[in-house]
Structure formats: C-alpha cells, structure tokens
Amino acid sequence: QVQLAVSGGGSVQAGGSLRVTCTASSSSYRRYPMGWFRQRQDKEREGVAVIDSDSNSLYVDDAKGRFIVSRDLAKDSIYLQMNSLKPEDSAMYYCGALTKLELRTGSIFNWGQGTQVIVAS
C-alpha cells in the first residue's frame, strides 16, 4: 500500500497563512489526481482542493481566492497553501489519492493521515 505522508498544519491567528504537504511513497501515484479534504468538528469530511497530473484543479467555494493547491510530480508531492485563514477553516486536513478529479470523498481510494489546523480568532 502506498503511504501518503502529511506534514505542516498547526496553529495560526486569523488572517495568517499555513502550508501543508502530502508526499506519496511511490511514483505510481503521479498519474492520479490528488487532493485535500478536511473534517471540521461534528461535520462530515469535505473536499477542499484537488489537482491532477496536468495541474488542473478544483476548489470548494470558500477556498477560492484564498487557498492554492499545487503539485510537484518529481517529488511525488502536493501542497496546499492556505492564506487569509479564518476560524472556520479550523479542521483536520487530510490528503487523498483520487480516481477522478472531483471534490467528492467517494473518489478517494487512499487516505493519508490528518494534520490539525487551528485558526484562532
């Protein structure tokens, strides 16, 4: 099983920025879309941003203009740069590999571990 290692996250004041990184243990995932999902307290996990091997991307509406998803195929990594963070962005953020480029959790076939993001007001 390919491992997806997540790093980054942490605590920040509202308006601040954070970057999270997800690295696959195999280059075999280069052909798959990958993305970021989050789970807020007492909420279902939701898609935040996804990107394919051609750098086509999709964002959830409230991430547009604030978050940037990127990918470095040579490093088998994807990144989520989160700017202008709001308290409501506080959640556990997960990386996943998808069967298709969409924001639905149903397309995830492999999850990385989560990383906590806390945005203080």
Side-chain angles (χ1 to χ4, degrees):
Q1 178 79 343
V2 175
Q3 303 297 314
L4 300 177
V6 177
S7 60
S11 298
V12 67
Q13 294 289 317
S17 297
L18 285 172
R19 187 193 199 210
V20 288
T21 299
C22 173
T23 300
S25 62
S26 169
S27 61
S28 64
Y29 275 24
R30 293 179 185 176
R31 59 183 170 167
Y32 294 112
M34 293 183 67
W36 294 97
F37 291 71
R38 67 185 173 193
Q39 190 160 15
R40 298 162 170 155
Q41 194 167 4
D42 300 325
K43 300 288 186 182
E44 291 187 355
R45 198 171 296 188
E46 62 175 352
V48 177
V50 295
I51 186 168
D52 67 13
S53 58
D54 293 321
S55 293
N56 298 302
S57 58
L58 297 172
Y59 293 88
V60 68
D61 284 347
D62 74 355
K64 292 177 182 176
R66 298 190 300 126
F67 293 4
I68 301 171
V69 63
S70 60
R71 188 166 188 169
D72 187 334
L73 292 175
K75 295 182 178 179
D76 297 310
S77 294
I78 66 166
Y79 311 93
L80 185 67
Q81 177 68 41
M82 299 180 284
N83 302 316
S84 303
L85 282 160
K86 307 173 184 178
E88 52 265 42
D89 293 318
S90 297
M92 189 72 78
Y93 283 71
Y94 297 89
C95 168
L98 300 99
T99 56
K100 60 187 299 186
L101 187 70
E102 61 180 10
L103 290 166
R104 297 176 61 185
T105 57
S107 291
I108 294 286
F109 66 89
N110 192 9
W111 288 104
Q113 84 275 18
T115 185
Q116 188 77 48
V117 170
I118 299 172
V119 184
S121 58

